[in-house]
Amino acid sequence: MYDVIVVGTRVAGSPLAMLLARKGYRVLAVDRATFPSDTPSTHYIHQAGLGLLQQWGLLDQVVAAGTPAIRHLNFSYTDIVIKGFADVSADGIDAVYCPRRTVLDKILVDAAGNAGVEVIHGFTVNELIFDGDTVAGIRGQVGEGAEQEFRAKLVIGADGSNSTVAKAVGAEVYEGSPAACFIYYSYYDGLDWGMQHRTGFGEQQFASWPTNDGLALVAVMRKRDRFRDFRTDPDAGVQEIVSQIDPELGVSLKDSGKRVEQFRPMLYPDNYRRRSFGPGWALVGDAGYHKDPFTGWGITDAFKYAQLLSDLVHEGLSGARPMAEALAEYERERDLQSASTYELTESISGLSLSPYYDSVFRATSYDAEYTKGFFGLIAGIYSPEKYFGEQELADLYEKVDFPAAARHVSKDGISA
């Protein structure tokens, strides 16, 4: 009998299992995959997420794996250009890192095992075990082997957007919106672009950042209705998008860039929040909450809410409070803490800015201090309420002498 079974051992499941094991609980973690292995990802870890890796004693391993430090970011949205970096975070993080998932996930899985988690890989969960309405365990097998049964006080699904656990418990979506775009990405040799996040006219975007083994990830986005045409010649499509947004980098890609791996096409699932707790079960990571990859918050949020859930599960298992009450607080706090990021991602991931966001980002690009705030917002170390505060925006517009007719200080109003 386990205290907790975690289904899924990537960026949400492994940290959660590790943290619970470090608290002294008996934890089983299972995954269909074996490690190291790849999975679609933006790779980007914000300073807030890196702070958690450092707190868990794992950041040094990410750095030691040869993951390049990034200390300058280049953002553009049509003709709005914002360049710079956030201040050093409170825990001393002065860079961001974009490790390949073959590197990061293996570090996390190994950390869970080292903490005492019993890990079974290559394991397919066929069904959940119920005791009345309460989830009591899992049934499944490794490969074609005999079916096995494991029981626990709590089963947590960390198994992604197509979560087996979420389906088995009927976890309903209570907030959501359609996904806007598709993504193609691969890895290139010969490019030294640093970090680029560039959205151009015509609803198209490319991003690039250095990752392990001296390679650069290059990704492009367009609206989903253009996916069929794009996939006929993705190399030409990538070249076209980069060249149209930044002709100089387009020449660099053509003359020096060598794609060294196959393309990873992604039609991302819709944005959603699912009910993420019930009798004997909970959901974490993309199993319970997903948003468009445009803002790159997937890994960082997986870390944040794995930490949150581990703390509250501990309260339930230790008897400090009823488990149902603790899990309800987890969902409530997750939604509250992620609300601004979720709303921002929904608003800008369609590759066109509303008048409000256009005015905010355009004015930001004129002021060095507010630019610092922009990158602090991205890093997760600057309050969204402060960056988007009506008084703060009004002061910014005055400071940079922004045209009065274009001064949007709230999503619903215009300052004349």
Side-chain angles (χ1 to χ4, degrees), residues 49-195:
L50 294 168
L52 287 170
L53 281 178
Q54 180 171 268
Q55 178 182 318
W56 301 337
L58 304 178
L59 180 56
D60 286 348
Q61 294 182 48
V62 172
V63 175
T67 312
I70 302 169
R71 295 185 172 89
H72 185 82
L73 310 181
N74 299 283
F75 277 74
S76 68
Y77 222 121
T78 59
D79 59 335
I80 303 169
V81 178
I82 307 176
K83 298 182 179 182
F85 198 72
D87 291 324
V88 177
S89 66
D91 40 16
I93 306 298
D94 67 348
V96 295
Y97 295 87
C98 301
R100 291 198 61 162
R101 294 296 294 273
T102 49
V103 172
L104 177 63
D105 293 6
K106 184 65 164 59
I107 289 171
L108 296 172
V109 167
D110 288 349
N114 292 336
V117 177
E118 183 179 338
V119 181
I120 305 177
H121 286 145
F123 186 94
T124 299
V125 175
N126 296 327
E127 61 181 348
L128 301 187
I129 300 169
F130 285 85
D131 182 1
D133 294 332
T134 301
V135 175
I138 61 173
R139 290 192 184 95
Q141 78 280 331
V142 175
E144 299 299 321
E147 188 170 72
Q148 303 176 69
E149 178 178 302
F150 302 102
R151 292 180 176 263
K153 300 171 186 175
L154 183 67
V155 174
I156 299 175
D159 47 344
S161 58
N162 293 316
S163 170
T164 296
V165 176
K167 292 174 184 176
V169 299
E172 75 276 13
V173 172
Y174 57 88
E175 182 179 356
S177 62
C181 298
F182 70 84
I183 301 176
Y184 259 78
Y185 76 89
S186 190
Y187 302 91
Y188 291 75
D189 195 11
L191 300 181
D192 186 19
W193 293 356
M195 190 281 182

Side-chain angles (χ1 to χ4, degrees), residues 200-273:
F201 293 100
E203 296 180 329
Q204 55 188 2
Q205 192 254 10
F206 83 86
S208 180
W209 32 77
T211 187
N212 303 90
D213 303 319
L215 300 178
L217 179 150
V218 178
V220 297
M221 296 177 67
R222 273 182 173 161
K223 287 296 187 71
R224 290 170 74 96
D225 60 6
R226 303 182 69 178
F227 179 71
R228 185 184 297 274
D229 291 338
F230 187 93
R231 67 187 305 176
T232 61
D233 191 350
D235 280 305
V238 170
Q239 183 67 59
E240 177 188 36
I241 291 173
V242 175
S243 296
Q244 288 183 358
I245 296 175
D246 190 317
E248 184 176 341
L249 293 184
V251 172
S252 171
L253 177 63
K254 182 178 180 180
D255 293 346
S256 304
K258 179 183 178 183
R259 181 168 60 83
V260 297
E261 296 188 21
Q262 66 183 9
F263 278 111
R264 276 79 162 173
M266 293 187 289
L267 282 169
Y268 257 67
D270 294 341
N271 304 290
Y272 59 80
R273 296 187 192 276

